[in-house]
């Protein structure tokens, strides 16, 4: 009989399950606390009887992210390659800022979206992560470094809105006061533009920060680099973004990878500013990563500055993202790609 993924259960669901098994309500709260402190075995739950721990181990499994590889950058950024129980790998990046620790986590093994500048997109799609596997990345990094993580970015491997139900459940779990208690305003979710899910997310009014990977001011450029644009074009996407900001009152961060000779011209900056007029927005310019096989080069410093100045002159706030962990290839998908063998296995 397949065991139940206990860490993906909310406190209410766990309580109901315990009550059905004749266990008191407080036992569920005890187990929930252990799970959200990072317990990986029921044997670690020292305030439960041995008999109960054995019963739980027969019925439930505890998902965990094992550290397969850990790389530490000169700037303190840490990149993890995590392995799950079925042998699949994902990457996460832990970053230290003046305000505390942030972690960029994955929501899928691989990705279906196929963006041409993305290392993860080159590796194809394997499967969705469960809510507990998403949560386990945060827990594993926090325990490994013995730090409290205060901010979460869902911008690692995968498209979060393509794993929508598991991501929503993760958000409920990680923000639970009885769990890690990381508030929604400290969580950012990045999407390449699944328009139907953006509307649904807006209606939920979760107060998280939505980051939209735009990367182009028009359909011609965006379709050539992001296949998702064939289903939902720039106009469709920005209409959904306007609905999101109007409904939630939350500003959207538009991610824009600066690619030399592709989307970084003055004309592109002017067109982008026109497109974003009337939307509560900030543009986050990202020098494109040097990913093997893409042929793309990042825009030069002068070009980045000129792009920012044009947007600013048109009333659109923009900044260039500070690059962290470049010496450890901190952008997600690169390390996993190196570990993957030609037959689909992973090399040690």
């Amino acid at each position: 009989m397949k065991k139940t993924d206990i860490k993906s259960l909310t406190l209410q669901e766990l309580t109901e399950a315990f009550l059905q098994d004749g266990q008191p309500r407080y036992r569920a709260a005890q187990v929930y606390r252990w799970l959200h402190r990072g317990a990986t075995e029921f044997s670690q739950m020292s305030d439960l009887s041995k008999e109960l721990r054995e019963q739980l181990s027969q019925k439930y499994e505890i998902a965990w992210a094992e550290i397969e590889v850990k790389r530490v950058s000169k700037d303190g950024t840490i990149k993890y390659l995590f392995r799950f129980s079925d042998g699949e790998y994902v990457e996460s990046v832990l970053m230290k800022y003046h305000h505390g620790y942030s972690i960029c986590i994955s929501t899928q093994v691989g990705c279906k979206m196929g963006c041409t500048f993305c290392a993860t997109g080159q590796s194809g799609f394997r499967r969705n992560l469960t809510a507990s596997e998403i949560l386990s990345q945060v827990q594993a990094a926090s325990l490994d470094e013995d730090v409290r993580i205060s901010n979460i970015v869902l911008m690692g491997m995968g498209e979060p809105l393509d794993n929508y139900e598991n991501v929503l459940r993760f958000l409920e779990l990680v923000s639970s006061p009885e769990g890690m208690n990381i508030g929604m305003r400290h969580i950012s979710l990045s999407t390449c533009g699944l328009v139907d899910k953006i509307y649904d997310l807006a209606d939920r009014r979760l107060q998280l920060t939505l980051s939209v990977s735009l990367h182009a001011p028009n359909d011609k450029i965006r379709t050539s680099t992001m296949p998702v644009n064939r289903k939902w074009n720039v106009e469709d996407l920005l209409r959904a973004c306007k609905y999101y900001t109007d409904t939630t009152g939350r500003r959207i961060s538009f991610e824009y990878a600066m690619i030399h000779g592709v989307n970084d011209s003055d004309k592109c900056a002017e067109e982008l500013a026109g497109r974003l007029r009337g939307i509560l927005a900030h543009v986050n310019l990202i020098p494109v990563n040097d990913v093997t096989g893409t042929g793309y080069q990042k825009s030069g410093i002068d070009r980045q500055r000129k792009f920012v100045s044009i947007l600013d002159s048109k009333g659109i706030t923009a900044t260039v993202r500070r690059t962290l962990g470049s010496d450890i290839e901190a952008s997600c998908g690169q390390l996993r790609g190196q570990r993957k063998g030609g037959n689909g296995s992973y090399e040690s």
Side-chain angles (χ1 to χ4, degrees):
M1 184 178 70
K2 182 176 174 57
K3 294 182 179 181
T4 299
D5 174 12
I6 191 171
K7 199 159 65 180
S8 283
L9 300 179
T10 64
L11 178 56
Q12 181 179 345
E13 291 169 338
L14 188 60
T15 301
E16 291 171 356
F18 271 47
L19 290 174
Q20 288 176 6
D21 288 341
Q23 293 293 334
R25 184 180 298 272
Y26 74 87
R27 287 293 186 207
Q30 284 178 300
V31 172
Y32 191 85
R33 283 194 296 271
W34 277 108
L35 293 170
H36 289 261
R37 289 179 195 162
T40 59
E41 302 286 344
F42 291 108
S43 60
Q44 297 170 337
M45 301 180 183
S46 55
D47 54 356
L48 305 183
S49 69
K50 185 176 180 180
E51 180 183 7
L52 178 57
R53 283 180 277 170
E54 180 60 30
Q55 291 174 2
L56 292 173
S57 66
Q58 291 176 6
K59 184 174 182 178
Y60 298 104
E61 63 180 5
I62 303 176
W64 190 245
E66 293 286 348
I67 300 173
E68 182 77 5
V69 177
K70 177 181 178 180
R71 290 184 178 174
V72 182
S73 169
K74 289 180 291 186
D75 62 29
T77 300
I78 300 173
K79 183 166 189 176
Y80 293 100
L81 181 68
F82 288 122
R83 179 173 54 82
F84 295 114
S85 59
D86 64 350
E88 293 290 2
Y89 294 81
V90 299
E91 299 174 30
S92 302
V93 180
L94 182 66
M95 298 156 285
K96 184 178 182 180
Y97 295 96
H98 67 276
H99 55 73
Y101 285 88
S102 295
I103 189 167
C104 178
I105 58 175
S106 298
T107 55
Q108 295 179 312
V109 182
C111 186
K112 302 174 187 175
M113 300 299 115
C115 299
T116 60
F117 47 80
C118 175
T120 302
Q122 294 181 15
S123 66
F125 174 77
R126 302 281 289 183
R127 68 171 177 86
N128 287 326
L129 296 185
T130 63
S132 59
E133 288 173 329
I134 302 171
L135 179 63
S136 292
Q137 298 168 67
V138 185
Q139 293 176 324
S142 177
L143 289 172
D144 178 61
E145 283 295 299
D146 192 24
V147 296
R148 170 167 169 74
I149 293 172
S150 56
N151 292 271
I152 298 174
V153 183
L154 284 79
M155 198 184 288
M157 295 170 57
E159 163 56 57
L161 297 188
D162 188 45
N163 187 17
Y164 193 53
E165 295 304 322
N166 284 323
V167 166
L168 288 179
R169 181 167 286 260
F170 159 75
L171 293 172
E172 183 177 359
L173 292 171
V174 80
S175 61
S176 166
E178 298 83 7
M180 297 194 79
N181 196 26
I182 299 176
M184 288 289 180
R185 288 178 178 268
H186 297 276
I187 300 174
S188 297
L189 184 152
S190 177
T191 177
C192 68
L194 276 59
V195 165
D196 55 342
K197 297 298 192 296
I198 292 175
Y199 280 112
D200 187 84
L201 196 63
D203 290 337
R204 292 175 185 270
R205 295 173 170 83
L206 294 180
Q207 294 300 294
L208 52 74
T209 297
L210 182 65
S211 296
V212 174
S213 296
L214 188 58
H215 303 313
N218 57 56
D219 289 329
K220 182 178 180 181
I221 298 174
R222 196 165 194 265
T223 300
S224 70
T225 56
M226 302 181 70
V228 69
N229 202 69
R230 299 188 187 110
K231 183 170 185 179
W232 292 292
N233 63 25
V234 173
E235 184 177 352
D236 294 333
L237 175 57
L238 294 183
R239 187 182 301 116
C241 291
K242 181 69 163 59
Y243 179 82
Y244 185 91
T245 59
D246 289 349
T247 302
T248 66
R250 300 284 291 168
R251 185 179 69 172
I252 287 179
S253 175
F254 286 98
E255 310 294 317
Y256 196 98
M258 295 285 286
I259 308 173
H260 173 69
V262 175
N263 64 352
D264 62 349
S265 67
D266 290 359
K267 183 178 179 181
C268 284
E270 292 167 358
E271 188 174 3
L272 179 63
R275 290 275 195 178
L276 297 183
R277 191 170 296 116
I279 300 176
L280 189 59
H282 174 85
V283 177
N284 192 12
L285 299 174
I286 311 163
V288 73
N289 292 308
D290 295 323
V291 177
T292 303
T294 64
Y296 293 135
Q297 295 179 333
K298 66 180 66 175
S299 305
I301 296 296
D302 290 343
R303 181 97 300 265
Q304 294 172 33
R305 289 171 177 165
K306 183 64 181 300
F307 206 93
V308 169
S309 69
I310 292 173
L311 292 177
D312 185 62
S313 70
K314 303 290 184 180
I316 305 296
T317 61
T319 52
V320 178
R321 180 190 290 175
R322 183 163 63 101
T323 302
L324 294 175
S326 59
D327 57 319
I328 57 169
E329 297 178 302
S331 63
C332 281
Q334 293 178 294
L335 182 54
R336 176 177 175 268
Q338 292 170 10
R339 301 285 289 184
K340 187 175 180 181
N343 61 357
S345 62
Y346 291 82
E347 300 169 344
S348 299

